[in-house]
Amino acid sequence: MSLKDKINLQKLPKHIAIIMDGNGRWAKGKGKFRIFGHQNGVKAVKESAEACAELGVSYLTLYAFSTENWSRPKDEINALMELLVSTIRKETSTLQKNNIRLKAIGDLMDLPPKCQRELQEAIEETKNNTRLTLILALSYSAKWDMVNAIKQIAEKAANHQLHPQEINDMLIDQHLSTKDYPHPELMIRTSGEQRISNFLLWELAYSELYFTPVLWPDFTREHLYEAIFDYQQRERRFGKTSEQVLKP
Ligand code: IPE
Ligand code: IPE
Ligand code: MG
């Protein structure tokens, strides 16, 4: 029996975020170069997106390249950017077929122009799709996003468009690159690392965190079902007591 049958479709997370980690170690374990791991990670991206779309999860955010990843060796960065371009080119028709809308968050202007073009084209082409929104975090870090948001808010305050007393949770939300999406209820990280690595610091404030030792290229839809099932067994209290949460 697939774990899929155990998932309560009435209690699905609307938004799942994933830190796709472990490509390098996966490749090393096979005596190959790191990029071989990245190439083999594409399959896991496809499986996760298709599984989310089939189940009825509305948003999937994938951490694909962080601000800090720019410090990696040039060769690896170039290969990753090439992989991004070729994957988008190859997969846009599948996104269309599966009614998946592509979006991106991050400092996209820092991506090579070819990447930016390819990404924008795919975003434009899939913009009317409605089943799943797939958000790629590229050249993204939560601190970068928060600094940007604070700059915008400070400018508005300086221009008297906004009074500092009006700054609240919601206003900050509206100035982040994730403003159009609900906060993720579930965050998954593969490869056994148990850290956030500058991913969605604000938005993960009350997310359920799920860590699995599985390396990203080995991550299948069954692993995703397992994470969702685990999430569904948890009691989300948001600061309240268990009794309060259970009261009808
Ligand atoms: C995640 O895998 C992919 C990116 C960060 C681009 P890694 O490349 O970090 O793989 P490990 O963590 O070194 O195994
Ligand atoms: C986090 O993975 C970023 C992505 C998955 C894109 P890293 O492998 O870069 O994270 P750290 O540096 O080991 O925490
Ligand atoms: Mg890593």
Side-chain angles (χ1 to χ4, degrees):
M1 188 176 90
S2 162
L3 260 174
K4 189 181 182 186
D5 305 317
K6 290 218 244 164
I7 291 175
N8 178 353
L9 296 177
Q10 311 309 316
K11 263 182 67 180
L12 277 179
K14 267 200 197 58
H15 185 174
I16 298 177
I18 307 182
I19 301 179
M20 311 184 286
D21 199 15
N23 296 351
R25 277 164 282 170
W26 185 87
K28 201 172 167 197
K30 297 192 154 34
K32 306 269 192 187
F33 292 116
R34 295 178 57 84
I35 187 65
F36 185 67
H38 299 314
Q39 288 161 346
N40 279 275
V42 174
K43 187 169 47 64
V45 171
K46 289 185 63 166
E47 279 220 16
S48 308
E50 283 164 23
C52 280
E54 278 166 29
L55 280 173
V57 172
S58 303
Y59 301 89
L60 173 65
T61 298
L62 299 177
Y63 203 7
F65 194 85
S66 72
T67 305
E68 287 75 19
N69 289 149
W70 289 114
S71 316
R72 290 197 178 190
K74 275 275 159 306
D75 283 358
E76 182 172 348
I77 296 176
N78 292 341
L80 271 167
M81 294 299 148
E82 280 300 320
L83 183 64
L84 182 67
V85 170
S86 61
T87 306
I88 295 174
R89 205 169 276 165
K90 222 167 82 197
E91 300 300 335
T92 307
S93 58
T94 313
L95 293 176
Q96 283 296 66
K97 195 182 77 205
N98 289 329
N99 194 9
I100 298 174
R101 174 171 73 138
L102 186 70
K103 289 278 185 183
I105 52 171
D107 200 354
L108 305 179
M109 302 303 263
D110 269 2
L111 298 175
K114 197 161 77 170
C115 264
Q116 292 185 38
R117 267 199 311 276
E118 210 64 48
L119 192 61
Q120 288 314 330
E121 272 176 39
I123 289 172
E124 181 60 27
E125 206 174 317
T126 60
K127 72 176 182 203
N128 294 322
N129 293 343
T130 53
R131 195 152 71 130
L132 169 74
T133 299
L134 173 63
I135 305 147
L136 295 182
L138 289 166
S139 188
Y140 171 90
S141 71
K143 286 190 178 179
W144 163 83
D145 206 10
M146 284 156 94
V147 167
N148 258 350
I150 292 165
K151 276 187 196 157
Q152 289 174 49
I153 294 170
E155 256 171 48
K156 286 183 186 171
N159 296 335
H160 305 287
Q161 284 168 271
L162 163 80
H163 195 275
Q165 289 306 327
E166 292 171 278
I167 299 172
N168 59 17
D169 259 35
M170 235 161 48
L171 187 102
I172 293 173
D173 266 333
Q174 286 161 5
H175 289 83
L176 291 169
S177 62
T178 51
K179 62 177 180 295
D180 298 327
Y181 322 119
H183 293 175
E185 294 94 333
L186 171 62
M187 196 286 287
I188 301 169
R189 182 171 189 151
T190 59
S191 89
E193 306 300 350
Q194 301 194 3
R195 54 177 173 263
I196 303 291
S197 301
N198 218 345
F199 188 42
L200 304 175
L201 296 178
W202 173 271
E203 299 84 345
L204 293 180
Y206 252 111
S207 306
E208 296 298 326
L209 307 181
Y210 181 87
F211 298 101
T212 168
V214 175
L215 301 173
W216 181 249
D218 289 330
F219 193 82
T220 62
R221 58 178 64 222
E222 283 300 315
H223 294 115
L224 183 82
Y225 299 148
E226 210 173 307
I228 297 175
F229 181 71
D230 189 277
Y231 158 84
Q232 292 187 330
Q233 310 314 304
R234 302 185 188 186
E235 183 177 66
R236 304 190 74 205
R237 289 191 286 278
F238 299 99
K240 296 181 180 173
T241 66
S242 190
E243 289 72 19
Q244 286 176 298
V245 174
L246 292 171
K247 223 172 21 200

